[in-house]
Amino acid sequence: MVKDLLIILIGSSLVSNVVLSQFLGLCPFLGVSKKTKTASGMGIAVIFVITLASLVAGVIYKYILIPCNITYLQTIVFILVIAALVQFVEMFLKKYIPSLYESLGVYLPLITTNCAVLGVALTNVQKNYGIIEGVVNGFATAVGFTISIVILAGIREKMEYNDVPESFKGMPIVLVTAGLMAIAFCGFSGLL
């Protein structure tokens, strides 16, 4: 059991990184990765939302959708769960950490439509994960997202001081950097 959970943890965070190998969650990945402080704040919010969404979606799927034979509603139910959790995170940050709330700006509500969050809930169902395995998969996926966004933010902060050709300034060099990061993360495939 512990071995399986460790494999899920390593596999979801590094080997099958949600951003760099599955290309889910690119909007906040590219939009919030200008500063490491903002990127780490977004990563923490995503960790909270994905982990909790995996738990709630797993419980609802196992104890409501399957017994009632309405599993065809899983996508709609998961979207509603995710939207409610993001609203909770948004209210919490607005009240207790207003500086992070302001720096995340429009990208915080975008967690609701972040396909990585919905992708994890659906992956948990596809792979027949139980509730514990689903939560570990959600947590590991969110940690992988956080690792990716913080690394990209650190690189982008350093690139501000580099002499980048005019045609590569802005988003083109960010996309090249993200591509190189994806290639580098392919090196983790030998872990499993």
Side-chain angles (χ1 to χ4, degrees), residues 17-90:
N17 187 284
V18 70
V19 176
L20 300 174
S21 70
Q22 297 176 12
F23 306 111
L24 297 174
L26 288 176
C27 180
F29 176 69
L30 297 173
V32 184
S33 61
K34 292 178 183 166
K35 300 287 179 198
T36 53
K37 183 177 179 183
T38 308
S40 59
M42 174 60 106
I44 291 168
V46 167
I47 287 172
F48 179 76
V49 169
I50 289 182
T51 305
L52 204 54
S54 297
L55 174 67
V56 174
V59 168
I60 289 173
Y61 186 78
K62 183 174 182 177
Y63 295 110
I64 297 174
L65 297 181
I66 291 176
C68 294
N69 199 23
I70 53 173
T71 55
Y72 57 88
L73 293 175
Q74 70 186 11
T75 305
I76 294 168
V77 171
F78 293 166
I79 289 171
L80 291 174
V81 166
I82 292 164
L85 290 173
V86 170
Q87 287 299 312
F88 173 73
V89 169
E90 192 172 358

Side-chain angles (χ1 to χ4, degrees), residues 98-159:
S99 60
L100 180 58
Y101 174 79
E102 292 295 325
S103 64
L104 290 175
V106 72
Y107 293 101
L108 186 57
L110 281 178
I111 294 176
T112 304
T113 59
N114 185 346
C115 52
V117 183
L118 180 60
V120 169
L122 294 174
T123 299
N124 290 343
V125 170
Q126 279 181 335
K127 292 188 176 184
N128 293 322
Y129 286 154
I131 295 172
I132 293 173
E133 291 97 347
V135 170
V136 170
N137 182 49
F139 176 76
T141 300
V143 167
F145 176 86
T146 304
I147 290 168
S148 302
I149 196 170
V150 169
I151 289 172
L152 182 63
I155 293 171
R156 285 181 77 173
E157 284 181 352
K158 297 291 182 187
M159 281 193 306

